[in-house]
Amino acid sequence: MSAYIELHCHSHFSLLDGASSPEELVKVAAAMGMKALALTDHDAVYGIPRFVHAAREANLQPLIGAELTLSDGHHLTLLVRDAQGWHNLCWLITAARHNAPKGQAALAVDLLKDHTQGLVALSGCRKGFIPSALLRRDTAAALAAGRTYRDWFGGAYFWIELQNHLLPEDRRLNESLVELARNLGVGYVATNNVHYATRDRHMLQDVLVCIHNNTTLDECPDLRPNAEFALKSHSELLPLFEHFPDALSNSLLIAEQCQFELPHGLQTLPLITLPAGSTADTYLKTLCVEAARKKKLAEGAYAHLDYELSIISESGLSNYFLVVWDIVRFAREQGIRCQGRGSAANSLVAYLLGISPISPLAHNLVFERFLSAERKAAPDIDIDFDAERREEVIQYIYDRYGLEHAAMASTFVTFGARSAVRDIGKALGLPLETLNHVTTTLDVHNPEKLPQSASVRDALGQRMNMTTWQQIMDLAAQIDGFPRHLGIHNGGMVVCGDALTTRVPTEPASMNERYVTQWDKEALEDTGMLKIDILGLRMLSALSESAACIRQTTGKQIDLDALTFDDPAVYDMICAADTVGVFQVESRAQAQVLPRLKPRTFADLIVSISLIRPGPVMGDMVHPYLRRRFGEEKVAYPHDLLRPALEETLGVILFQEQVLKIARDMAGFTAGQGE
């Protein structure tokens, strides 16, 4: 077991300033025998959920933190001790991000004072105020800053940070820092300001910094001077801190101070206005029962409704359904076409609230595919809106809940083959014209092969020999999947009853007055936070425009929601594959299947759409179904217990729903276990 833990470590989520993934850092730290590892990316917790998952898999204690950029340009390393510390770190990162242009951060120093509880502070690298003051031999300024930090964080939770990268003055600086720590009565600790897991990532680190600065290796002023910023073991660091060996062992003491575990589970949800005397559970039931009566559901449906409501209540999701219902209600009141998609269609509650237009009872859908007592994962409700008016819905959510309580989920724009080659080549000093020639003829499926066209060879000249190309390809392979910059999810929104910063930092989106969370869709799901997908569907726009056109030209008001699914003329067109512009049945594959399938009912259309999916296509289910449909092959069931699940599709598995039912009927699973 290592007597040292790295407390200052950057992954590739320190965008364009870290050359290893969180998983790679964890793997190397575990191999070194470290029992814990900290992740302290620049002004962000983008990679924390992935880091925590990887650390737990490797039996390492994950230490959560960030390196903050202060408004005076200096850095400060923060680690989380407890839940209050997490809230404060999220708040501080948010404040820093919203105090600077998009993609940058600048935390006003005076904001630290009231947000230090639950945090451990390390004085930082050479860009920290204290080290930089000592480097310019301003001991008084360093001492004053040290006293301030000690008073704000407490003597037990403010540590002087020592680093030795074999740079000029590192030894003298560390001696001065230790003397300062003793004068302040605080501890000191060694870190290595890690920016890559292993030394061989040093070149990639330089290239990333060049990409960030939009410059070349020869001209970039911010390159680190050597390859000493890798993860190092206790034995590697001990000679560098031979005069202060307790600086290494003190890292274990700090790890013991940080016992925080990342919160997991539902965020608090906003409370919509409820009738007097109602709770979210009772109001949700009232809305559903009223809708059931209007839709004249059979008496047997009420028992299923009670079952769904009980699962929703036990999962703490009643208010979630009400929030989604309120969004749909607003859209319909404004004449914005919308409907739910995906597994929400399996919920009778979603149908009764108008979220989904499909009755799950009419189609024998299984609720547990959407939500069950056995499955702890949060449900996902995706709603399609008229693409031309989706922004109105998003703005309604922001207006109703406020910027502190609503934000879009983020996404990370990663390097593709062509963009990686272009960016890396530019960092290596190759002319843009040459790179454009190369990337336009690059075979992305065989990128290691040098483009061979005459025009490319002429453009390359002596600048791009095979060695240079191989170097670019090696770097491109290393950079594959790295996040390049933060983007915004197509429609995923998070709403929170408490300020969002109690769970995750936010930062400005590219659009004014829009915020984005620092976690993407996967990270939100991993931590159990609920999001609502506000998606734009152009077909809904086309329907709205068509209805308006009919009204303007004929005076007739078409009620699209009242249309039935039994018009023979429509099926005649579909059977003739006259479906260009018809949502979900216009593809070339559908055009080949439809004339043979000859759909005459809505259920036939469901089958047609399901046939042309990866599962049925790769599983060789398409032709057996078609042969059975037209009597060319006998319908057979390997076991009688399969008949209830597969009878509607002639013994062929076409729907996800059927896999669940087979697990239930054959293996005796509950529906939730089957899901």
Side-chain angles (χ1 to χ4, degrees):
M1 189 69 67
S2 174
Y4 171 73
I5 290 168
E6 183 55 61
L7 300 175
H8 188 151
C9 188
H10 298 272
S11 74
H12 60 29
F13 285 106
S14 284
L15 302 179
L16 301 181
D17 194 36
S20 293
S21 67
E23 292 83 356
E24 185 182 2
L25 292 164
V26 166
K27 181 179 179 181
V28 173
M32 290 178 173
M34 293 186 190
K35 66 177 183 179
L37 179 68
L39 187 65
T40 57
D41 283 315
H42 290 299
D43 306 295
V45 294
Y46 302 138
I48 289 297
R50 278 178 53 177
F51 167 68
V52 169
H53 178 76
R56 288 174 177 163
E57 289 286 311
N59 201 29
L60 259 68
Q61 177 190 355
L63 307 177
I64 295 170
E67 185 177 23
L68 295 189
T69 303
L70 306 179
S71 53
D72 59 11
H74 293 109
H75 293 181
L76 188 69
T77 312
L78 299 180
L79 299 170
V80 176
R81 292 193 291 116
D82 55 28
Q84 185 58 49
W86 173 249
H87 296 165
N88 279 326
L89 180 66
C90 291
W91 190 94
L92 290 167
I93 291 174
T94 301
R97 289 288 184 174
H98 288 281
N99 189 43
K102 186 179 184 303
Q104 301 178 36
L107 177 68
V109 179
D110 58 354
L111 293 180
L112 269 172
K113 182 178 181 180
D114 296 324
H115 295 87
T116 60
Q117 186 177 347
L119 293 170
V120 172
L122 312 183
S123 58
C125 60
R126 283 187 170 218
K127 291 185 178 180
F129 183 92
I130 291 174
S132 62
L134 291 175
L135 283 170
R136 65 176 185 268
R137 289 175 168 73
D138 190 348
T139 304
L143 190 59
R147 289 187 181 122
T148 298
Y149 288 142
R150 179 194 62 192
D151 294 344
W152 287 355
F153 288 92
Y157 304 119
F158 173 62
W159 296 75
I160 297 296
E161 192 171 352
L162 312 183
Q163 296 178 358
N164 189 343
H165 298 104
L166 304 179
L167 303 180
E169 298 196 35
D170 268 358
R171 182 168 181 174
R172 183 193 69 80
L173 175 59
N174 284 336
E175 290 172 349
S176 299
L177 286 167
V178 170
E179 182 179 354
L180 180 74
R182 289 167 177 164
N183 287 337
L184 292 170
V186 300
Y188 54 85
V189 64
T191 77
N192 202 51
N193 192 15
V194 171
H195 281 74
Y196 34 88
T198 53
R199 290 176 183 272
D200 59 359
R201 288 295 178 101
H202 166 57
M203 179 67 171
L204 179 61
Q205 164 69 20
D206 286 349
V207 167
L208 289 169
V209 173
C210 289
I211 294 172
H212 176 73
N213 287 280
N214 194 28
T215 187
T216 66
L217 289 169
D218 292 335
E219 298 175 355
C220 186
D222 296 329
L223 298 181
R224 289 172 177 81
N226 57 34
E228 297 297 321
F229 294 81
L231 266 173
K232 294 179 182 176
S233 65
H234 178 269
S235 60
E236 291 175 289
L237 288 171
L238 188 57
L240 302 176
F241 296 95
E242 58 181 342
H243 299 296
F244 313 111
D246 49 341
L248 300 176
S249 59
N250 282 344
S251 65
L252 277 66
L253 300 179
I254 294 174
E256 291 175 0
Q257 292 179 335
C258 301
Q259 297 299 316
F260 171 71
E261 291 190 6
L262 196 66
H264 188 281
L266 301 181
Q267 73 269 32
T268 57
L269 289 164
L271 293 173
I272 70 168
T273 303
L274 299 172
S278 294
T279 64
D281 289 345
T282 60
Y283 188 45
L284 179 62
K285 182 172 184 176
T286 298
L287 291 174
C288 290
V289 170
E290 289 176 355
R293 288 171 180 163
K294 289 180 181 178
K295 293 178 181 292
K296 299 180 180 179
L297 292 189
E299 284 300 317
Y302 288 90
H304 183 80
L305 175 60
D306 286 340
Y307 167 71
E308 283 198 20
L309 288 170
S310 68
I311 298 296
I312 291 170
S313 176
E314 290 168 8
S315 302
L317 292 170
S318 293
N319 206 52
Y320 175 61
F321 275 84
L322 292 174
V323 169
V324 177
W325 164 76
D326 178 65
I327 295 169
V328 171
R329 176 200 56 77
F330 164 80
R332 297 196 190 285
E333 286 180 356
Q334 300 302 312
I336 303 172
R337 295 203 63 79
C338 65
Q339 64 181 49
R341 68 155 81 168
S343 62
N346 291 53
S347 168
L348 179 60
V349 170
Y351 170 63
L352 294 174
L353 294 178
I355 297 169
S356 167
I358 299 298
S359 168
L361 302 182
H363 294 272
N364 195 25
L365 303 180
V366 182
F367 173 68
E368 285 79 5
R369 186 179 162 221
F370 173 68
L371 180 67
S372 70
E374 293 89 345
R375 181 165 59 101
K376 301 304 180 184
D380 206 6
I381 297 182
D382 302 340
I383 312 172
D384 289 317
F385 293 87
D386 179 338
E388 297 297 323
R389 302 187 65 185
R390 182 181 74 121
E391 279 298 317
E392 295 177 48
V393 180
I394 293 175
Q395 192 58 50
Y396 169 75
I397 297 171
Y398 276 114
D399 291 342
R400 182 167 179 79
Y401 300 114
L403 288 171
E404 289 189 351
H405 301 273
M408 303 295 292
S410 64
T411 187
F412 293 98
V413 179
T414 58
F415 284 95
R418 290 189 173 90
S419 65
V421 169
R422 184 179 289 107
D423 285 340
I424 293 168
K426 187 174 181 180
L428 295 181
L430 295 171
L432 186 60
E433 181 181 1
T434 299
L435 294 170
N436 287 337
H437 271 285
V438 172
T439 54
T440 53
T441 59
L442 180 67
D443 180 359
V444 295
H445 301 295
N446 190 22
E448 68 278 1
K449 183 178 180 181
L450 183 65
Q452 294 297 313
S453 72
S455 62
V456 171
R457 289 198 301 271
D458 292 342
L460 296 178
Q462 299 301 314
R463 289 183 174 272
M464 179 82 83
N465 55 37
M466 208 55 210
T467 301
T468 304
W469 181 251
Q470 189 58 55
Q471 185 179 42
I472 291 176
M473 287 299 99
D474 289 345
L475 291 168
Q478 293 178 49
I479 213 175
D480 183 43
F482 273 34
R484 195 186 192 285
H485 57 269
L486 191 71
I488 189 167
H489 189 272
N490 184 45
M493 289 201 74
V494 180
V495 292
C496 196
D498 297 331
L500 261 173
T501 52
T502 61
R503 287 291 296 264
V504 60
T506 66
E507 55 186 85
S510 53
M511 184 182 295
N512 288 334
E513 296 301 310
R514 295 284 169 87
Y515 291 177
V516 59
T517 66
Q518 286 203 334
W519 287 345
D520 62 7
K521 175 179 180 290
E522 287 72 25
L524 291 168
E525 290 175 352
D526 286 347
T527 55
M529 293 185 69
L530 288 171
K531 66 177 178 62
I532 307 165
D533 279 342
I534 310 297
L535 305 171
L537 185 61
R538 286 177 293 177
M539 181 51 64
L540 291 179
S541 304
L543 290 173
S544 298
E545 292 169 7
S546 298
C549 183
I550 292 170
R551 184 175 64 253
Q552 292 167 4
T553 55
T554 69
K556 293 181 179 180
Q557 181 70 44
I558 302 296
D559 184 357
L560 293 173
D561 294 321
L563 294 178
T564 60
F565 303 113
D566 55 2
D567 188 335
V570 173
Y571 289 104
D572 289 342
M573 293 178 66
I574 293 174
C575 289
D578 185 8
T579 56
V580 174
V582 181
F583 186 53
Q584 296 216 348
V585 291
E586 65 175 329
S587 69
R588 181 179 299 177
Q590 285 290 340
Q592 292 174 337
V593 166
L594 290 169
R596 186 174 180 192
L597 183 66
K598 294 181 172 56
R600 303 307 303 181
T601 66
F602 188 67
D604 290 341
L605 288 177
I606 295 173
V607 167
S608 180
I609 293 168
S610 299
L611 280 172
I612 310 303
R613 301 281 291 175
V617 171
M618 298 300 292
D620 192 26
M621 302 171 187
V622 178
H623 295 295
Y625 174 83
L626 292 174
R627 288 195 297 267
R628 293 181 182 194
R629 181 179 175 92
F630 295 106
E632 300 168 7
E633 178 180 307
K634 183 180 178 181
V635 176
Y637 303 93
H639 196 285
D640 285 343
L641 289 176
L642 293 173
R643 185 182 295 273
L646 301 183
E647 193 165 19
E648 63 179 325
T649 54
L650 309 178
V652 179
I653 299 175
L654 294 183
F655 311 139
Q656 291 181 11
E657 209 82 24
Q658 291 172 316
V659 180
L660 187 158
K661 291 176 180 177
I662 290 170
R664 179 194 64 192
D665 297 344
M666 288 204 71
F669 290 178
T670 65
Q673 291 169 334
E675 196 283 330

